[in-house]
Amino acid sequence: MRDFALEIEQRKRDGLYRSRRLVSGPQKPELVADGAELLSFCSNDYLGLANHPGNVATLRDALSETGLGGAASHLVCGHHDAHHQLEQRLAAFTRRSSALFFSTGYMANMGVISALAGRGDTIFSDRLNHASIIDGCILSRARVRRYGHGDVAALERMLAETSGHKLVVTDGVFSMDGDIAPLKELARVCKAHDALLVVDDAHGIGVLGPQGRGSVLEAGLSEDEVPVLIGTLGKAVGTSGAFVAGPEVLIDYLVQKARTYIYTTAMPPAVALASCASIDLIEQDDARRSHLQALIARFRSGAQQLGYQLMPSLTPIQPIMVGDNHAALALSRALEEQGILVTAIRPPTVPEGEARLRVTLSAAHSEEQLDRLLQALAQCHSLLPEQAAQESVAV
């Protein structure tokens, strides 16, 4: 029998052990975690809508009309008109023909990728794609070829030498680096080599593009150029669930084939109505995105002046590169002692030797709160490994 306790102890020695925090109350910058009041910079609530009073009121009011549970799968009797309303709203918001609502982003990627490719087909996946994309590729049983991160030239060579049905899948915004995929170039090579392009814009929806419509529309790309768009609602939208949007025939095909859609209970309808309300807010409130972009610029300037090594990211995801697992944990703990919550990200979430602190900013943060983070970072710079500190000076 496998010695699970031994493996856990090894993870602790390697600086890879993970533990859960107990958060009390709503998600917001100032929260209570494990009984302590902390200023959080590690949430994906990029627009501060997870606790928006209007969204909370919509959810509360909807419960009396829809009840709580979804009660059945969509193809039995669980497809409520609230779900249908959300799908229509998502299609309009993303400027697409149709949309399909999933329970989670992980389920969306697993279901969509495994439905659109199978045995005998080939999937091309960016080397830094999210785990849900990787697992969707594995589940499909298609041949999987990984190309170097953002390396369109390498991808084009692979596509040119491959026949049959081809699927190219990429994150729109990469969750651990914060950079944006070269979507225009990817769309070009996919069109040239008859490959179906799938973009998971989990971290772009709400943040990037006109009225927060995402990285695909920020790049000026149409449904014809990017046929499959996947997005989540649990990040900038501030609610729960996920979706895929694209041509009507493709969405109908997924209703028939996507196992993670077919074989699961529908999400609570009231959550769908709260998501519609949140999308309305996103569409109408450019001021939130403007404030967020100002915070990003302020953080990057301040952190680099302090000597921290950042990634080339212009999104709310701002990794501080550390390298060593234990050093990343030590830096995270030192910040927490000053009342700041930023988690350490370690392998296998990121490559070996690239442990980091993943700072995420929200429109709900104030400039004063950001300055608290920078002041805490100033006190903790000495904890960086020597190599990271030397590299950071040159950034």
Side-chain angles (χ1 to χ4, degrees), residues 14-84:
D14 293 340
L16 298 176
Y17 184 74
R18 305 179 189 207
S19 58
R20 299 181 297 175
R21 291 180 179 274
L22 185 61
V23 174
S24 305
Q27 284 286 346
K28 56 182 182 177
E30 293 179 323
L31 51 74
V32 177
D34 295 332
E37 295 183 0
L38 298 171
L39 177 57
S40 172
F41 286 93
C42 53
S43 165
N44 292 327
D45 182 23
Y46 301 128
L47 295 179
L49 298 179
N51 190 40
H52 188 279
N55 293 342
V56 173
T58 299
L59 178 64
R60 182 181 58 246
D61 295 344
L63 286 171
S64 62
E65 300 177 14
T66 67
L68 179 56
S73 65
H74 286 274
L75 298 186
V76 178
C77 65
H79 191 59
H80 197 277
D81 57 12
H83 298 132
H84 187 65

Coordinates of all heavy atoms in Angstrom, one line a residue, residues 14-84:
D14 N 10.3 19.6 0.9 CA 10.6 20.3 -0.3 C 10.0 21.7 -0.4 O 10.1 22.3 -1.5 CB 10.1 19.4 -1.5 CG 10.8 18.1 -1.6 OD1 12.0 18.0 -1.1 OD2 10.3 17.2 -2.2
G15 N 9.2 22.1 0.6 CA 8.6 23.4 0.5 C 7.4 23.4 -0.4 O 7.0 24.5 -0.9
L16 N 6.7 22.2 -0.6 CA 5.6 22.1 -1.5 C 4.3 21.8 -0.8 O 3.3 21.6 -1.5 CB 5.9 21.0 -2.5 CG 7.1 21.2 -3.4 CD1 7.4 20.0 -4.3 CD2 6.9 22.5 -4.3
Y17 N 4.3 21.7 0.5 CA 3.1 21.4 1.2 C 2.1 22.5 1.2 O 2.5 23.7 1.2 CB 3.4 21.1 2.7 CG 2.2 20.6 3.5 CD1 1.7 19.4 3.4 CD2 1.6 21.5 4.4 CE1 0.6 19.0 4.1 CE2 0.6 21.1 5.2 CZ 0.1 19.8 5.0 OH -1.0 19.4 5.8
R18 N 0.8 22.2 1.0 CA -0.2 23.2 0.8 C -1.2 23.0 2.0 O -1.5 21.9 2.4 CB -0.9 23.1 -0.5 CG 0.0 23.1 -1.7 CD -0.7 23.0 -3.0 NE 0.2 22.8 -4.1 CZ -0.1 23.2 -5.4 NH1 -1.3 23.7 -5.6 NH2 0.8 23.0 -6.3
S19 N -1.7 24.1 2.4 CA -2.8 24.1 3.5 C -3.8 25.1 3.2 O -3.6 26.1 2.4 CB -2.2 24.4 4.9 OG -1.5 25.6 4.9
R20 N -5.0 24.9 3.7 CA -6.2 25.7 3.4 C -6.3 26.8 4.5 O -6.0 26.5 5.7 CB -7.5 24.9 3.3 CG -7.5 23.9 2.2 CD -8.8 23.2 2.1 NE -9.0 22.4 3.3 CZ -10.1 21.7 3.6 NH1 -11.1 21.7 2.7 NH2 -10.2 21.0 4.7
R21 N -6.8 28.0 4.1 CA -7.1 29.0 5.1 C -8.6 29.0 5.3 O -9.3 28.8 4.4 CB -6.6 30.4 4.6 CG -5.1 30.5 4.6 CD -4.8 31.9 4.1 NE -3.3 32.1 4.0 CZ -2.6 32.5 5.1 NH1 -3.2 32.7 6.2 NH2 -1.3 32.6 4.9
L22 N -9.0 29.4 6.5 CA -10.4 29.5 6.8 C -10.8 31.0 6.8 O -10.4 31.7 7.7 CB -10.7 28.9 8.2 CG -12.2 28.8 8.6 CD1 -13.0 28.0 7.6 CD2 -12.4 28.3 10.0
V23 N -11.5 31.4 5.7 CA -11.9 32.7 5.6 C -13.3 32.9 6.1 O -14.2 32.2 5.9 CB -11.8 33.1 4.1 CG1 -12.4 34.5 3.9 CG2 -10.4 33.0 3.6
S24 N -13.5 34.0 6.9 CA -14.8 34.3 7.5 C -15.3 35.6 6.8 O -14.5 36.5 6.5 CB -14.6 34.6 9.0 OG -14.0 33.5 9.6
G25 N -16.6 35.6 6.5 CA -17.2 36.8 5.9 C -17.0 36.8 4.4 O -16.5 35.9 3.8
P26 N -17.4 37.9 3.8 CA -17.4 38.0 2.3 C -16.0 38.3 1.8 O -15.1 38.7 2.6 CB -18.3 39.3 2.0 CG -18.1 40.1 3.3 CD -18.0 39.1 4.4
Q27 N -15.8 38.0 0.5 CA -14.5 38.2 -0.1 C -14.4 39.7 -0.4 O -15.2 40.3 -1.1 CB -14.4 37.5 -1.4 CG -14.1 36.0 -1.3 CD -12.7 35.7 -0.9 OE1 -11.8 36.6 -1.0 NE2 -12.4 34.5 -0.5
K28 N -13.3 40.3 0.1 CA -13.0 41.8 -0.1 C -11.6 42.0 0.3 O -10.9 41.1 0.9 CB -14.0 42.6 0.7 CG -14.0 42.4 2.2 CD -15.0 43.2 3.0 CE -14.9 43.0 4.5 NZ -15.8 43.9 5.2
P29 N -11.0 43.1 -0.1 CA -9.6 43.3 0.3 C -9.2 43.1 1.7 O -8.2 42.5 2.1 CB -9.3 44.8 -0.2 CG -10.3 45.0 -1.3 CD -11.5 44.2 -0.9
E30 N -10.0 43.7 2.6 CA -9.8 43.5 4.1 C -10.7 42.3 4.5 O -11.9 42.5 4.7 CB -10.1 44.7 4.8 CG -9.1 45.9 4.5 CD -9.4 47.2 5.2 OE1 -10.6 47.5 5.4 OE2 -8.5 47.9 5.6
L31 N -10.0 41.2 4.8 CA -10.8 40.0 5.2 C -10.2 39.4 6.4 O -9.1 39.7 6.9 CB -10.9 39.0 4.0 CG -9.6 38.5 3.3 CD1 -8.8 37.6 4.1 CD2 -9.9 37.9 2.0
V32 N -10.9 38.4 6.9 CA -10.5 37.6 8.1 C -10.2 36.2 7.7 O -11.0 35.5 7.1 CB -11.6 37.6 9.2 CG1 -11.2 36.7 10.4 CG2 -12.0 39.0 9.6
A33 N -8.9 35.8 7.9 CA -8.4 34.5 7.5 C -7.8 33.9 8.7 O -6.9 34.5 9.3 CB -7.4 34.6 6.3
D34 N -8.2 32.7 9.1 CA -7.8 32.0 10.3 C -7.8 32.9 11.5 O -7.0 32.8 12.4 CB -6.3 31.5 10.1 CG -6.2 30.4 9.0 OD1 -7.2 29.7 8.8 OD2 -5.2 30.3 8.3
G35 N -8.9 33.7 11.5 CA -9.1 34.5 12.7 C -8.4 35.8 12.7 O -8.6 36.6 13.6
A36 N -7.5 36.1 11.7 CA -6.7 37.3 11.7 C -7.2 38.2 10.6 O -7.6 37.8 9.5 CB -5.2 36.9 11.5
E37 N -7.2 39.5 10.9 CA -7.6 40.5 10.0 C -6.4 40.8 9.1 O -5.3 41.2 9.5 CB -8.0 41.8 10.6 CG -9.3 41.6 11.5 CD -9.8 42.9 12.1 OE1 -9.1 44.0 11.9 OE2 -10.8 42.9 12.8
L38 N -6.6 40.6 7.7 CA -5.5 40.7 6.8 C -5.9 41.5 5.6 O -7.1 41.5 5.2 CB -5.0 39.3 6.3 CG -4.4 38.4 7.4 CD1 -4.2 37.0 6.8 CD2 -3.1 39.0 7.9
L39 N -5.0 42.2 5.0 CA -5.2 42.9 3.7 C -4.8 42.0 2.6 O -3.6 41.7 2.4 CB -4.5 44.2 3.7 CG -4.6 45.1 2.4 CD1 -6.0 45.4 2.0 CD2 -3.7 46.3 2.5
S40 N -5.8 41.5 1.8 CA -5.5 40.5 0.8 C -5.1 41.1 -0.6 O -5.8 42.0 -1.1 CB -6.8 39.6 0.6 OG -6.6 38.7 -0.4
F41 N -4.1 40.5 -1.1 CA -3.6 40.7 -2.5 C -3.4 39.4 -3.2 O -2.5 39.2 -4.0 CB -2.3 41.6 -2.5 CG -2.5 43.0 -2.1 CD1 -2.4 43.4 -0.8 CD2 -2.9 43.9 -3.1 CE1 -2.5 44.7 -0.5 CE2 -3.0 45.3 -2.8 CZ -2.9 45.7 -1.4
C42 N -4.4 38.5 -3.1 CA -4.2 37.2 -3.8 C -5.6 36.7 -4.3 O -5.7 35.5 -4.7 CB -3.6 36.2 -2.9 SG -4.3 36.0 -1.2
S43 N -6.6 37.5 -4.3 CA -7.9 37.1 -4.9 C -8.0 37.4 -6.4 O -7.3 38.2 -6.9 CB -9.0 37.9 -4.1 OG -10.2 37.8 -4.8
N44 N -8.8 36.6 -7.1 CA -9.1 36.8 -8.5 C -10.3 37.7 -8.7 O -10.8 37.8 -9.8 CB -9.3 35.5 -9.2 CG -8.0 34.7 -9.3 OD1 -6.9 35.2 -9.3 ND2 -8.2 33.4 -9.2
D45 N -10.8 38.4 -7.6 CA -11.9 39.3 -7.7 C -11.5 40.6 -8.3 O -11.5 41.6 -7.6 CB -12.6 39.4 -6.3 CG -13.8 40.3 -6.3 OD1 -14.5 40.4 -7.4 OD2 -14.1 40.8 -5.3
Y46 N -11.1 40.6 -9.6 CA -10.3 41.8 -10.1 C -11.1 43.1 -10.1 O -10.5 44.2 -10.1 CB -9.9 41.4 -11.6 CG -9.1 40.2 -11.7 CD1 -9.4 39.2 -12.6 CD2 -7.9 40.1 -10.9 CE1 -8.6 38.1 -12.7 CE2 -7.1 38.9 -11.0 CZ -7.5 37.9 -11.9 OH -6.7 36.8 -12.0
L47 N -12.4 43.0 -10.2 CA -13.2 44.3 -10.2 C -13.9 44.5 -8.9 O -14.7 45.5 -8.8 CB -14.2 44.2 -11.4 CG -13.6 44.1 -12.8 CD1 -14.7 44.0 -13.8 CD2 -12.7 45.3 -13.1
G48 N -13.7 43.7 -7.9 CA -14.4 43.9 -6.6 C -15.9 43.7 -6.6 O -16.6 44.4 -5.9
L49 N -16.3 42.8 -7.5 CA -17.8 42.5 -7.6 C -18.3 41.3 -6.8 O -19.5 41.1 -6.8 CB -18.1 42.3 -9.1 CG -17.8 43.5 -10.0 CD1 -18.2 43.2 -11.4 CD2 -18.6 44.8 -9.5
A50 N -17.4 40.6 -6.2 CA -17.8 39.4 -5.4 C -18.7 39.7 -4.2 O -19.5 38.9 -3.8 CB -16.6 38.6 -5.0
N51 N -18.6 41.0 -3.8 CA -19.4 41.4 -2.6 C -20.2 42.7 -3.0 O -20.5 43.5 -2.1 CB -18.5 41.6 -1.4 CG -19.3 41.8 -0.1 OD1 -20.3 41.2 0.1 ND2 -18.9 42.8 0.7
H52 N -20.4 42.9 -4.2 CA -21.1 44.1 -4.7 C -22.6 44.1 -4.1 O -23.3 43.1 -4.4 CB -21.1 44.3 -6.2 CG -21.6 45.6 -6.7 ND1 -23.0 45.8 -6.8 CD2 -21.0 46.7 -7.1 CE1 -23.1 47.1 -7.3 NE2 -21.9 47.6 -7.4
P53 N -23.0 45.1 -3.5 CA -24.4 45.1 -2.9 C -25.5 44.9 -3.9 O -26.5 44.2 -3.6 CB -24.5 46.4 -2.2 CG -23.4 47.3 -2.8 CD -22.3 46.4 -3.2
G54 N -25.3 45.4 -5.1 CA -26.3 45.2 -6.1 C -26.4 43.7 -6.5 O -27.5 43.2 -6.7
N55 N -25.3 43.1 -6.7 CA -25.3 41.6 -7.1 C -25.8 40.8 -5.9 O -26.6 39.8 -6.2 CB -23.9 41.2 -7.4 CG -23.3 41.8 -8.7 OD1 -24.1 42.3 -9.5 ND2 -22.0 41.8 -8.9
V56 N -25.5 41.1 -4.7 CA -26.0 40.4 -3.5 C -27.5 40.5 -3.5 O -28.2 39.5 -3.2 CB -25.3 40.9 -2.2 CG1 -26.0 40.2 -1.0 CG2 -23.8 40.6 -2.2
A57 N -28.0 41.7 -3.7 CA -29.5 41.9 -3.7 C -30.2 41.2 -4.8 O -31.3 40.6 -4.5 CB -29.8 43.4 -3.8
T58 N -29.6 41.1 -6.0 CA -30.2 40.4 -7.1 C -30.3 38.9 -6.7 O -31.3 38.3 -7.0 CB -29.3 40.5 -8.3 OG1 -29.3 41.9 -8.7 CG2 -29.9 39.7 -9.5
L59 N -29.2 38.3 -6.1 CA -29.2 36.9 -5.7 C -30.3 36.7 -4.7 O -31.1 35.7 -4.8 CB -27.8 36.5 -5.2 CG -27.7 35.1 -4.7 CD1 -27.9 34.1 -5.8 CD2 -26.3 34.9 -4.1
R60 N -30.3 37.5 -3.7 CA -31.3 37.4 -2.6 C -32.7 37.4 -3.1 O -33.6 36.6 -2.8 CB -31.1 38.4 -1.5 CG -32.0 38.3 -0.3 CD -31.8 39.4 0.7 NE -32.0 40.7 0.1 CZ -31.0 41.6 -0.1 NH1 -29.7 41.4 0.3 NH2 -31.2 42.8 -0.6
D61 N -33.0 38.4 -4.0 CA -34.4 38.5 -4.5 C -34.7 37.4 -5.4 O -35.9 36.9 -5.5 CB -34.5 39.8 -5.3 CG -34.4 41.1 -4.4 OD1 -34.5 40.9 -3.1 OD2 -34.1 42.2 -4.9
A62 N -33.7 36.8 -6.2 CA -34.0 35.8 -7.1 C -34.4 34.5 -6.4 O -35.1 33.6 -7.0 CB -32.8 35.6 -8.0
L63 N -33.8 34.3 -5.2 CA -34.1 33.0 -4.5 C -35.5 32.7 -4.3 O -36.0 31.6 -4.4 CB -33.3 33.0 -3.2 CG -31.8 32.8 -3.3 CD1 -31.1 33.1 -1.9 CD2 -31.4 31.4 -3.8
S64 N -36.3 33.8 -4.0 CA -37.7 33.6 -3.8 C -38.5 33.2 -5.1 O -39.5 32.5 -5.0 CB -38.4 34.8 -3.2 OG -38.2 35.9 -4.1
E65 N -37.9 33.5 -6.2 CA -38.5 33.1 -7.5 C -38.1 31.8 -8.0 O -38.8 31.0 -8.6 CB -38.2 34.2 -8.5 CG -38.7 35.6 -8.2 CD -38.4 36.7 -9.2 OE1 -37.9 36.3 -10.3 OE2 -38.5 37.9 -8.9
T66 N -36.8 31.5 -7.9 CA -36.2 30.3 -8.5 C -35.9 29.2 -7.6 O -35.7 28.0 -8.0 CB -34.8 30.7 -9.1 OG1 -33.9 31.0 -8.1 CG2 -34.9 31.9 -10.1
G67 N -36.0 29.4 -6.3 CA -35.6 28.4 -5.3 C -34.0 28.3 -5.3 O -33.4 29.1 -5.9
L68 N -33.5 27.4 -4.5 CA -32.1 27.3 -4.3 C -31.4 26.4 -5.4 O -30.6 26.9 -6.2 CB -31.8 26.8 -2.9 CG -30.3 26.7 -2.6 CD1 -29.6 28.0 -2.8 CD2 -30.2 26.2 -1.1
G69 N -31.6 25.1 -5.3 CA -30.9 24.2 -6.1 C -31.3 24.1 -7.6 O -32.5 24.4 -7.9
G70 N -30.4 23.6 -8.5 CA -30.7 23.4 -9.8 C -31.5 22.1 -10.0 O -32.2 21.9 -11.0
A71 N -31.3 21.1 -9.1 CA -32.1 19.9 -8.9 C -31.9 18.8 -10.0 O -32.2 17.7 -9.7 CB -33.6 20.3 -8.8
A72 N -31.5 19.2 -11.2 CA -31.3 18.1 -12.2 C -30.3 18.6 -13.2 O -30.0 19.8 -13.2 CB -32.7 17.9 -12.9
S73 N -29.9 17.8 -14.1 CA -29.0 18.2 -15.2 C -29.8 19.0 -16.2 O -31.0 19.0 -16.2 CB -28.4 17.0 -15.8 OG -29.4 16.2 -16.5
H74 N -29.0 19.8 -17.0 CA -29.7 20.6 -18.0 C -30.5 19.8 -19.0 O -31.6 20.3 -19.4 CB -28.6 21.4 -18.7 CG -28.0 22.5 -17.9 ND1 -28.5 23.8 -17.9 CD2 -26.9 22.6 -17.2 CE1 -27.8 24.6 -17.1 NE2 -26.8 23.8 -16.7
L75 N -30.1 18.6 -19.3 CA -30.9 17.9 -20.3 C -32.0 17.0 -19.7 O -32.7 16.3 -20.5 CB -29.9 17.0 -21.1 CG -28.8 17.7 -21.8 CD1 -28.0 16.8 -22.7 CD2 -29.4 18.8 -22.7
V76 N -32.2 17.1 -18.4 CA -33.4 16.5 -17.8 C -34.4 17.5 -17.6 O -35.3 17.8 -18.4 CB -33.0 15.7 -16.6 CG1 -34.2 15.0 -15.9 CG2 -32.0 14.6 -16.9
C77 N -34.4 18.2 -16.4 CA -35.3 19.3 -16.2 C -34.7 20.4 -15.4 O -35.3 21.2 -14.7 CB -36.6 18.8 -15.5 SG -36.3 18.2 -13.8
G78 N -33.3 20.5 -15.5 CA -32.6 21.5 -14.7 C -32.3 22.8 -15.4 O -31.7 23.7 -14.9
H79 N -32.6 22.9 -16.7 CA -32.3 24.1 -17.5 C -33.3 25.1 -17.3 O -34.3 25.2 -18.0 CB -32.1 23.7 -19.0 CG -31.5 24.8 -19.8 ND1 -30.3 25.3 -19.5 CD2 -32.0 25.5 -20.9 CE1 -30.0 26.3 -20.4 NE2 -31.0 26.4 -21.2
H80 N -33.1 26.0 -16.4 CA -34.0 27.0 -16.0 C -34.0 28.2 -17.0 O -33.0 28.4 -17.6 CB -33.7 27.5 -14.6 CG -34.7 28.3 -13.9 ND1 -34.9 29.6 -14.0 CD2 -35.6 27.9 -12.9 CE1 -35.9 30.0 -13.3 NE2 -36.4 29.0 -12.6
D81 N -35.0 29.0 -17.0 CA -35.0 30.2 -17.9 C -34.0 31.2 -17.4 O -33.5 32.0 -18.2 CB -36.4 30.8 -18.0 CG -37.0 31.2 -16.7 OD1 -36.3 31.3 -15.7 OD2 -38.2 31.6 -16.8
A82 N -33.6 31.1 -16.2 CA -32.5 32.0 -15.7 C -31.2 31.6 -16.3 O -30.4 32.5 -16.7 CB -32.4 31.9 -14.2
H83 N -30.9 30.3 -16.5 CA -29.7 29.9 -17.2 C -29.7 30.3 -18.7 O -28.7 30.8 -19.2 CB -29.6 28.3 -17.2 CG -29.5 27.8 -15.8 ND1 -30.3 26.7 -15.4 CD2 -28.7 28.1 -14.7 CE1 -30.0 26.4 -14.1 NE2 -29.0 27.2 -13.7
H84 N -30.9 30.2 -19.3 CA -31.1 30.6 -20.7 C -30.8 32.1 -20.8 O -30.1 32.6 -21.8 CB -32.4 30.2 -21.2 CG -32.6 30.5 -22.7 ND1 -31.9 29.8 -23.6 CD2 -33.4 31.3 -23.3 CE1 -32.3 30.2 -24.8 NE2 -33.2 31.1 -24.7

